[in-house]
Amino acid sequence: MKQVTIYDIAKEAKVSAATVSRVLNNTAPVKESTRSKIMQIIHKYQFQPNALARSLLKKETGTIGVIMPDITNPFFPEVFSGIDRAASEMGYTFFLCDTLGDTRKESQYLHMLREKQVDGILFLGGRINLSKCDPELAEEVVETASRIPTVLINGNLPGTSLHRVILNEAKGAELATQFLIDAGHRSIAFIAGNEEMTTTAQKVRAFRRVMKKNGLETAKENVLYGDYSMASGESSMEKILARRERPTAVFCVNDLTAVGALKAAMKAGVSVPDEVSIVGFDDIPLASAIYPELTTVSQRMDLLGGTGVQVLHKMILKEKVRMLTVIEPELIVRNSTRSLR
Amino acid sequence: MKQVTIYDIAKEAKVSAATVSRVLNNTAPVKESTRSKIMQIIHKYQFQPNALARSLLKKETGTIGVIMPDITNPFFPEVFSGIDRAASEMGYTFFLCDTLGDTRKESQYLHMLREKQVDGILFLGGRINLSKCDPELAEEVVETASRIPTVLINGNLPGTSLHRVILNEAKGAELATQFLIDAGHRSIAFIAGNEEMTTTAQKVRAFRRVMKKNGLETAKENVLYGDYSMASGESSMEKILARRERPTAVFCVNDLTAVGALKAAMKAGVSVPDEVSIVGFDDIPLASAIYPELTTVSQRMDLLGGTGVQVLHKMILKEKVRMLTVIEPELIVRNSTRSLR
DNA sequence: ACCACTTAAGCAAACGTCTGCAGACTAGAG
DNA sequence: CTCTAGTCTGCAGACGTTTGCTTAAGTGGT
């Protein structure tokens, strides 16, 4: 019950192993008669070459590692799907590493990926920000990146220069805000995320900028901070609804938060979009699964993943590639918003 | 910029490669002084052994392949999460293979996994049924399973004997039906899936059985077939709502369908749960993300994945293990149902 | 001083594939 | 019939580990 090797094939075909290898890889001309004889034997034994041996020799595995914080967060399967589509065309396969937000596991995975000689690493930052990760891990990431092509997707590691592909979140915030203003809303609240995270900060700034450009004030209490979760959206919305004067529209830092806000509104018997409009961010599947369907800023998550792979691929091929790639967002209008005009 | 090998370490430490290997794996006693010297050099070069070479020799890779139809379907990340948790404890890593429902890719992946010498394969059937897959693929799966430990999660391949772990769907349907009846509902509709699929058939049978046991009729029009999608739930519910006499409760074959049904009800201005109760199946995250939160049968998807890994692990270790493992469901009562009493 | 025994370390083969080099054969031209 | 230019095939070494077998060195008992 031993494994069939290229030698066994060779012996039975009365040729050398080299020849078998050559028909396997089409790497040199071989006489038609011997080729077909070999092929036949290969079929007979259902022979498949051992990729480990090949990789050991060629120093490439056709494998890339994908590290992400939580596959259960609907954001990531979407990104992964984009990665998969792009990369399977190029013949790569993945190690999927889910860190569950645990830094220790992150470093373990990094180790493992290096041992397994992956051709490249894709690091999904996503909603959890790398910027405040502990310096030791950061060091490790940089170290690894210096040996193995690495790209950061939607993350950042300040003070280092790693290849990145990110979303233009500021632009997305602008689109959403301007859309609401154009629809006649004057009083708009923003349920944001963690105040210290760059992506949130960017969005807040963009939000304020657009408001001002349209001659509108942004009251202090109209920017609420949270933690990107549904629960945070729910409680923020409750606070908003408790006010004497409610805003007519609420813009949320991501869809999960928006769904939480929506839930709070429904619970309180406040109609969406009749009494309050809600806009989300990301366009996760959930956004169109609920009623009313969420107006949201599409992050083009699959594109994000696909682009990440392309960048990585070029790096593996040692082609020149830009350090920073930016994906532009798009506004998707559905039924959670209405025009006041 | 060549790779540092065990030989380089050995040379610098003035020992043989064998010794270095032994300190790396703790596989034989080595004098403390040399050990620490070697360790120091390893650190200095950040040396990591090449897993390919090791695997080639030892004939084990610590890697398992996971094949699933669609990572974007919220069912699968949950299962995967369970897989990951269980397997990373045992030191495995995964190739994640998303077939996108394409049979050709499935067979490609199977090939690839064999080439890469995975220690085992996890085949997620899930909502898409393997039973009606084309015989050629089936043949291939069986062929592969005869060489590499393979377990089918939530799938079946009739006429073959593969290790499986599945959910007791019939039991789940019973739980849900009985719950509704206990709550005083007499007229209950069931929005099912594909009539030809065994899982649906089982559920329908269980549903009918429980109804009868409680002295209730199941009108023919109260079992509607669909395709598990949200859209199918929506349209089925529309049909139901258009009737003169509406059932007071609707049980759905899965959560996606239930969400669709819920959406249809809301669109039509029919209150859930006041005018109609809805029960789902699976307990995907979406189920508790919407308002009202869905009463549903939990499939314990993480447990499903985790158990799959355990079974596979035992097979890899050549331990005896039951061919069939069944996971018992659990009813989760939330707010999409109400008691009529 | 010798022997038996334990502990440390080295040698070399093996895992399964690819490939540079060289040799053998074929065929066509002179 | 010889020479040349291909065309096809084999040899052997390399990739980076692990491990069974052997040898060398040290320990203590008689």
Side-chain angles (χ1 to χ4, degrees):
Chain A
M1 198 52 190
K2 262 183 47 100
Q3 183 177 354
V4 179
T5 78
I6 207 174
Y7 269 102
D8 303 320
I9 305 294
K11 201 192 310 175
E12 181 146 344
K14 298 194 205 309
V15 296
S16 78
T19 306
V20 178
S21 169
R22 289 196 254 260
V23 346
L24 240 25
N25 305 296
N26 254 333
T27 175
V30 26
K31 203 174 9 171
E32 188 46 39
S33 67
T34 52
R35 150 171 266 117
S36 68
K37 179 166 51 163
I38 291 173
M39 277 307 225
Q40 188 224 314
I41 299 178
I42 286 177
H43 270 113
K44 172 173 158 198
Y45 287 105
Q46 294 257 31
F47 169 75
Q48 294 199 246
N50 184 326
L52 294 175
R54 195 214 316 275
S55 297
L56 180 57
L57 191 55
K58 309 244 288 191
K59 292 168 174 331
E60 62 173 49
T61 53
T63 297
I64 76 187
V66 179
I67 301 182
M68 59 174 66
D70 179 13
I71 187 71
T72 266
N73 177 331
F75 182 82
F76 294 107
E78 293 294 320
V79 178
F80 181 81
S81 176
I83 292 178
D84 188 278
R85 220 182 318 267
S88 74
E89 274 173 26
M90 309 183 192
Y92 290 108
T93 29
F94 313 92
F95 284 119
L96 181 52
C97 308
D98 190 336
T99 62
L100 304 171
D102 182 347
T103 310
R104 257 192 0 269
K105 286 197 84 172
E106 218 155 280
S107 125
Q108 262 173 242
Y109 277 132
L110 233 38
H111 248 72
M112 186 274 289
L113 292 175
R114 282 171 59 167
E115 285 194 354
K116 299 230 160 127
Q117 313 293 120
V118 294
D119 292 343
I121 297 178
L122 242 32
F123 221 112
L124 303 210
R127 295 273 146 270
I128 286 83
N129 201 338
L130 280 171
S131 67
K132 55 160 197 178
C133 77
D134 73 314
E136 202 167 325
L137 174 64
E139 169 58 33
E140 202 164 351
V141 173
V142 172
E143 228 289 307
T144 302
S146 74
R147 307 183 181 220
I148 303 177
T150 299
V151 358
L152 254 42
I153 295 187
N154 226 23
N156 193 6
L157 216 44
T160 66
S161 63
L162 298 174
H163 288 254
R164 301 194 288 146
V165 7
I166 59 169
L167 293 158
N168 191 343
E169 310 220 18
K171 181 69 176 300
E174 283 173 20
L175 284 175
T177 312
Q178 189 64 54
F179 167 75
L180 288 171
I181 294 174
D182 289 348
H185 294 275
R186 319 259 91 200
S187 171
I188 307 175
F190 182 24
I191 301 184
N194 185 330
E195 186 163 8
E196 290 165 11
M197 285 182 37
T198 52
T199 56
T200 282
Q202 284 173 352
K203 282 182 191 164
V204 171
R205 239 175 295 142
F207 173 70
R208 284 219 159 89
R209 191 185 325 126
V210 174
M211 291 290 278
K212 178 173 260 173
K213 206 177 77 187
N214 287 268
L216 298 173
E217 285 296 311
T218 303
K220 187 137 197 178
E221 77 268 18
N222 269 349
V223 176
L224 297 89
Y225 292 96
D227 66 1
Y228 306 97
S229 71
M230 252 180 51
S232 124
E234 211 169 330
S235 68
S236 294
M237 191 60 162
E238 280 163 4
K239 274 183 217 143
I240 290 175
L241 294 176
R243 290 188 201 156
R244 178 167 312 260
E245 298 228 339
R246 293 176 187 164
T248 59
V250 176
F251 172 39
C252 298
V253 70
N254 68 353
D255 283 346
L256 243 39
T257 302
V259 171
L262 180 60
K263 208 168 152 188
M266 294 178 99
K267 251 191 197 160
V270 174
S271 162
V272 176
D274 290 340
E275 296 175 63
V276 58
S277 290
I278 294 183
V279 176
F281 208 108
D282 282 355
D283 195 25
I284 59 179
L286 176 51
S288 53
I290 57 174
Y291 183 84
E293 295 183 354
L294 215 53
T295 293
T296 189
V297 176
S298 167
Q299 287 242 52
R300 319 273 262 109
M301 295 169 281
D302 54 337
L303 187 56
L304 188 63
T307 308
V309 171
Q310 280 172 19
V311 170
L312 190 61
H313 184 58
K314 284 191 183 157
M315 290 174 67
I316 292 173
L317 264 37
K318 297 197 192 306
E319 291 177 16
K320 270 268 172 262
V321 55
R322 262 197 311 247
M323 294 297 293
L324 183 65
T325 309
V326 180
I327 308 282
E328 296 300 333
E330 189 185 346
L331 186 72
I332 313 254
V333 180
R334 297 209 184 91
N335 314 317
S336 67
T337 48
R338 78 167 185 124
S339 172
L340 297 184
R341 300 179 188 268
Chain B
M1 198 51 191
K2 262 184 47 104
Q3 184 178 353
V4 179
T5 78
I6 206 174
Y7 269 102
D8 302 320
I9 304 294
K11 201 192 309 176
E12 181 146 343
K14 297 194 205 311
V15 296
S16 79
T19 307
V20 177
S21 170
R22 290 196 254 261
V23 347
L24 239 26
N25 305 297
N26 253 334
T27 175
V30 27
K31 203 172 11 169
E32 188 46 40
S33 67
T34 53
R35 149 171 267 115
S36 67
K37 181 165 49 163
I38 290 173
M39 277 309 223
Q40 188 224 315
I41 299 178
I42 286 177
H43 270 112
K44 172 173 157 199
Y45 287 105
Q46 295 257 28
F47 168 75
Q48 295 199 247
N50 183 328
L52 295 175
R54 193 213 320 274
S55 297
L56 180 57
L57 191 55
K58 311 242 288 190
K59 294 169 172 332
E60 62 173 49
T61 53
T63 298
I64 76 187
V66 178
I67 301 183
M68 59 174 65
D70 179 13
I71 186 72
T72 267
N73 177 331
F75 182 81
F76 295 106
E78 293 294 321
V79 179
F80 181 82
S81 177
I83 292 178
D84 188 279
R85 220 181 318 267
S88 74
E89 273 173 26
M90 309 182 191
Y92 290 108
T93 31
F94 313 92
F95 285 118
L96 181 52
C97 307
D98 190 335
T99 63
L100 303 170
D102 182 347
T103 310
R104 255 190 5 266
K105 286 197 84 173
E106 218 155 280
S107 126
Q108 261 172 244
Y109 276 132
L110 234 38
H111 248 72
M112 186 274 290
L113 291 176
R114 282 171 58 168
E115 286 194 354
K116 298 229 161 127
Q117 314 292 119
V118 294
D119 291 343
I121 297 179
L122 242 32
F123 221 112
L124 303 210
R127 295 272 145 270
I128 285 82
N129 201 339
L130 280 171
S131 68
K132 55 160 199 180
C133 77
D134 73 314
E136 203 168 323
L137 174 64
E139 168 59 32
E140 203 164 351
V141 172
V142 173
E143 228 289 308
T144 302
S146 74
R147 308 184 182 221
I148 303 176
T150 299
V151 358
L152 254 42
I153 295 187
N154 226 23
N156 192 6
L157 215 46
T160 66
S161 64
L162 298 174
H163 288 255
R164 302 193 288 146
V165 7
I166 59 170
L167 293 157
N168 190 343
E169 309 221 18
K171 181 69 175 301
E174 283 172 19
L175 285 176
T177 311
Q178 190 64 54
F179 167 75
L180 287 172
I181 294 173
D182 288 347
H185 294 274
R186 318 261 90 198
S187 170
I188 307 175
F190 181 24
I191 302 184
N194 184 331
E195 186 162 8
E196 291 164 10
M197 284 182 33
T198 53
T199 56
T200 282
Q202 284 174 352
K203 282 182 191 164
V204 171
R205 238 174 298 142
F207 173 70
R208 284 219 160 91
R209 191 185 327 128
V210 175
M211 290 291 277
K212 179 173 257 172
K213 205 175 78 187
N214 286 268
L216 298 174
E217 285 296 312
T218 304
K220 186 137 197 179
E221 77 267 19
N222 268 350
V223 175
L224 297 91
Y225 292 98
D227 66 0
Y228 306 97
S229 70
M230 250 179 52
S232 123
E234 210 169 331
S235 69
S236 295
M237 190 59 163
E238 278 163 6
K239 275 183 216 141
I240 291 174
L241 293 176
R243 290 186 202 158
R244 178 168 312 261
E245 298 227 340
R246 292 175 188 165
T248 58
V250 176
F251 172 39
C252 298
V253 70
N254 69 352
D255 283 346
L256 243 38
T257 302
V259 171
L262 179 61
K263 209 167 154 190
M266 293 178 99
K267 252 191 195 158
V270 174
S271 162
V272 177
D274 291 339
E275 295 176 64
V276 58
S277 290
I278 295 183
V279 177
F281 208 108
D282 282 354
D283 195 25
I284 58 179
L286 175 52
S288 53
I290 57 175
Y291 184 84
E293 295 183 353
L294 216 53
T295 292
T296 189
V297 177
S298 167
Q299 288 242 50
R300 319 271 265 110
M301 295 169 280
D302 54 337
L303 187 56
L304 187 64
T307 307
V309 172
Q310 280 173 19
V311 171
L312 190 61
H313 184 59
K314 283 190 182 156
M315 290 173 67
I316 292 173
L317 262 37
K318 298 197 191 306
E319 292 176 16
K320 271 272 172 257
V321 54
R322 263 197 311 247
M323 293 298 293
L324 184 64
T325 310
V326 179
I327 308 281
E328 296 299 333
E330 188 186 346
L331 186 72
I332 312 251
V333 180
R334 296 209 185 89
N335 314 316
S336 66
T337 47
R338 79 167 183 125
S339 172
L340 297 184
R341 297 177 190 269

